[in-house]
Amino acid sequence: MKPLRSLLAAAIGVLVLVPLGAAPANAGGSFRPGAAGVGDPYFPGYGNGGYDVKHYDLDVHYQPSTDVLTGRAVIHARATQNLSSFNLDFVGLTIDKLSVNGHKASYSRSGQELTVTRKIRKGSRFRVEVRYHGVPETIQIPFPGIVLEAGFIHTDDGALVAGQPEVAATWFPVNDHPQDKASYSFAVTVPAGLEAIANGVPRGSKTKDGWTTWKWEQRTPMISYLATATIGEFRISTTKHHGKPTIIAIDPDLPPSLADDAVGRTNEITDFLAGFFGPYPFEANGAIVDDYDNLFFALENQTRSIYSKYFFEEGTTTGETYVVAHELAHQWFGDSVAVEQWDDIWLNEGFATYAEWLWSDKLGEGTPQEIFDFLYAQPLSAPYWAPPPGDPGPVDLFDDSVYVRGAMTLQALRVTVGDADFWKIVRQWYAKNRNGHGSTAEFVRLAERVSGEQLDDLFQAWLFTDTKPPHPGAATATLAASTADKPAVLKSWDRRPHLRR
Ligand code: TRP
Ligand code: ZN
């Protein structure tokens, strides 16, 4: 406790400094608008500053025959500065009512920015309630030869909600950047007879007057782009795995022999990856496979990866499990350990691709070193040497280089520091950043600390140049590989040039 004298002196000082008529709240620092973005160099408008969301309570009602979504979002947040106003990201939908802490608040909208005018003191918790409705806008990502539909996708019998980097704002008001993870509860109401599948653990369903409400809960913090509320007819199978539910939902319009075998190995592949990375991060697991013709990707939605049907082929099994290993690896790297900024994307895609190489080894279809050597032997004109995976730029965020050269970076690290240190680095990376974030600079620092080696040159060459880096191992390996057969995992990528993962 401070002596009374100094408290009095401080109070008098404040009285002298504060001009007549100013609100006493200003004593704790001036109230300013929260930033309209978190400052991501690739996407300056994504997310917002000045507060931290703790929990989203989403109650949405969807009518597939009109595509209209009616929603009520309650956002529980804490101010990290004295706010005079703050922003949410929210695209397209009509706002019917907005309140802060139960009081009607004024707001304005411009592009994706929803600005709410409200004085909130630093450190205090507040609750924003938004009631809204409309037809969620599907994001169209142009690619050569195809347009990738992402975000809130309207399907023949419902909706498919998946995409990145920024899609959540098309269906709920959100602080839409990986930096602000939060827990979620979902209540999704759909015409009776349809299923609604979100993230985490199921909390039951209720049918009344021809509508069914499905409840889900994701307690472990989640990035907004990983949230889903996928609606339609699904065959659902639930297994208990180490006491946690694994929920696999497959569209009944798909032949039962198509995706069931591969996604049915979710538990087995999860255990396989946990053996390398550490314990599986979340309270549930699973998969969703929809019949929708215009879904051309798979995505690592937290606890519930979503797969395009085109990843699977009838009559084959092991080749179709590579994408499952990829999406499951993202549960550790991407979901639990999130990017700090989007230029850290190789930490997601490089690890997930490397997991496919580990799975390849397990299947007896090529070791990571054999796959690396095959790739290394390919000319600079191969599609994965540029741009530099450590700084691909916003347009090439998901270029092959981010995936392939990203995974090659990990193998180059493994060869340089040796197996023991490599696995120590990987396990510590997860253990330290679990439920949090990690950046490239932090990964390099950890690798140097664990190995005791100076690795700047290695990471500089592999992540930040657009030429072929020096081979980290014996030159003879390169010669042998140039005549080797293409590893099966790379053939599985070739079979689906139109697919993103
Ligand atoms: N990152 C996703 C995966 O690895 C795939 C992906 C890349 C994607 N770009 C996308 C998904 C755009 C949706 C939209 O599984
Ligand atoms: Zn991926």
Side-chain angles (χ1 to χ4, degrees):
M1 249 191 37
K2 286 185 178 177
L4 186 60
R5 225 175 333 121
S6 67
L7 278 180
L8 271 175
I12 290 164
V14 167
L15 284 176
V16 172
L17 288 175
V18 173
L20 226 65
N26 276 346
S30 62
F31 282 64
R32 290 169 292 108
V38 298
D40 191 299
Y42 286 2
F43 305 105
Y46 286 14
N48 306 284
Y51 65 94
D52 174 20
V53 178
K54 301 290 177 196
H55 183 77
Y56 292 93
D57 196 341
L58 303 179
D59 191 338
V60 297
H61 181 290
Y62 186 64
Q63 173 55 276
S65 65
T66 58
D67 296 340
V68 172
L69 181 87
T70 307
R72 171 178 167 269
V74 181
I75 300 162
H76 300 262
R78 199 178 59 83
T80 55
Q81 68 173 66
N82 278 336
L83 291 165
S84 56
S85 67
F86 62 91
N87 281 19
L88 287 160
D89 303 310
F90 196 40
V91 174
L93 301 168
T94 302
I95 294 175
D96 301 311
K97 199 177 160 207
L98 190 152
S99 67
V100 179
N101 295 333
H103 302 289
K104 205 172 165 210
S106 64
Y107 61 87
S108 62
R109 299 181 72 173
S110 164
Q112 66 162 10
E113 299 298 334
L114 162 61
T115 304
V116 180
T117 306
R118 186 81 187 185
K119 242 177 159 179
I120 300 165
R121 183 181 290 275
K122 178 178 177 176
S124 67
R125 287 178 174 264
F126 62 104
R127 201 181 79 244
V128 188
E129 178 174 344
V130 185
R131 289 175 185 268
Y132 57 96
H133 76 275
V135 177
E137 178 185 307
T138 303
I139 291 167
Q140 315 278 343
I141 309 171
F143 273 95
I146 50 155
V147 175
L148 216 62
E149 287 183 22
F152 199 100
I153 301 168
H154 305 273
T155 64
D156 47 354
D157 61 348
L160 191 51
V161 184
Q164 68 179 149
E166 203 195 35
V167 296
T170 63
W171 66 286
F172 62 94
V174 55
N175 192 18
D176 210 358
H177 190 278
Q179 276 175 26
D180 196 358
K181 291 184 178 186
S183 55
Y184 284 71
S185 30
F186 301 88
V188 186
T189 303
V190 295
L194 296 182
E195 259 77 32
I197 303 149
N199 312 80
V201 171
R203 291 283 184 237
S205 69
K206 249 192 218 130
T207 301
K208 204 184 134 198
D209 302 330
W211 292 85
T212 304
T213 300
W214 299 86
K215 291 192 172 175
W216 295 86
E217 192 170 355
Q218 174 65 70
R219 276 174 178 272
T220 315
M222 176 165 76
I223 312 174
S224 48
Y225 77 86
L226 298 170
T228 191
T230 289
I231 296 158
E233 280 187 61
F234 288 100
R235 282 191 281 122
I236 295 182
S237 77
T238 303
T239 54
K240 273 270 160 130
H241 191 57
H242 308 305
K244 301 170 175 182
T246 297
I247 294 151
I248 295 187
I250 299 184
D251 194 320
D253 293 341
L254 295 170
S257 56
L258 186 73
D260 290 59
D261 288 349
V263 298
R265 295 177 74 174
T266 290
N267 290 339
E268 174 198 352
I269 297 172
T270 299
D271 285 347
F272 172 76
L273 296 175
F276 293 98
F277 303 154
Y280 175 75
F282 303 120
E283 60 269 55
N285 201 346
I288 302 174
V289 190
D290 197 298
D291 179 39
Y292 187 59
D293 289 340
N294 288 327
L295 183 72
F296 293 110
F297 61 82
L299 186 72
E300 60 269 24
N301 296 78
Q302 189 158 307
T303 70
R304 210 119 306 137
S305 297
I306 296 183
Y307 300 91
S308 157
K309 62 179 173 181
Y310 301 121
F311 281 102
F312 308 104
E313 276 170 64
E314 273 186 279
T316 64
T317 48
T318 61
E320 314 312 313
T321 52
Y322 284 116
V323 69
V324 180
H326 182 108
E327 304 314 328
L328 287 174
H330 275 309
Q331 303 300 312
W332 283 263
F333 303 112
D335 297 6
S336 184
V337 182
V339 293
E340 189 83 46
Q341 296 184 338
W342 281 108
D343 58 7
D344 298 317
I345 186 67
W346 81 275
L347 287 166
N348 291 9
E349 301 306 345
F351 268 100
T353 304
Y354 197 77
E356 294 186 60
W357 300 1
L358 297 170
W359 184 241
S360 163
D361 195 4
K362 164 83 174 170
L363 295 176
E365 296 186 337
T367 65
Q369 186 63 42
E370 285 165 352
I371 299 163
F372 176 96
D373 285 333
F374 184 90
L375 292 163
Y376 191 84
Q378 306 309 310
L380 258 180
S381 57
Y384 48 81
W385 289 113
D391 189 13
V395 174
D396 292 328
L397 200 58
F398 297 104
D399 193 275
D400 273 3
S401 69
V402 171
Y403 289 71
V404 176
R405 189 167 160 160
M408 293 177 83
T409 302
L410 292 173
Q411 181 62 17
L413 172 66
R414 185 172 174 176
V415 169
T416 304
V417 302
D419 273 11
D421 280 353
F422 176 74
W423 289 115
K424 226 186 265 172
I425 293 163
V426 170
R427 294 175 83 91
Q428 282 194 26
W429 181 244
Y430 171 59
K432 280 175 182 302
N433 299 313
R434 185 177 175 159
N435 290 331
H437 302 84
S439 68
T440 300
E442 286 163 1
F443 185 75
V444 172
R445 239 177 284 137
L446 175 68
E448 291 189 333
R449 185 149 32 79
V450 170
S451 68
E453 291 182 45
Q454 206 286 107
L455 300 168
D456 280 346
D457 291 351
L458 177 87
F459 284 110
Q460 177 61 32
W462 276 96
L463 295 175
F464 297 107
T465 67
D466 46 20
T467 56
K468 201 189 276 197
H471 192 286
T476 49
T478 315
L479 290 174
S482 55
T483 54
D485 276 349
K486 191 171 223 179
V489 61
L490 302 180
K491 286 188 192 153
S492 88
W493 282 46
D494 289 349
R495 266 203 311 274
R496 22 185 198 242
H498 59 302
L499 295 182
R500 305 256 102 205
R501 64 178 102 201

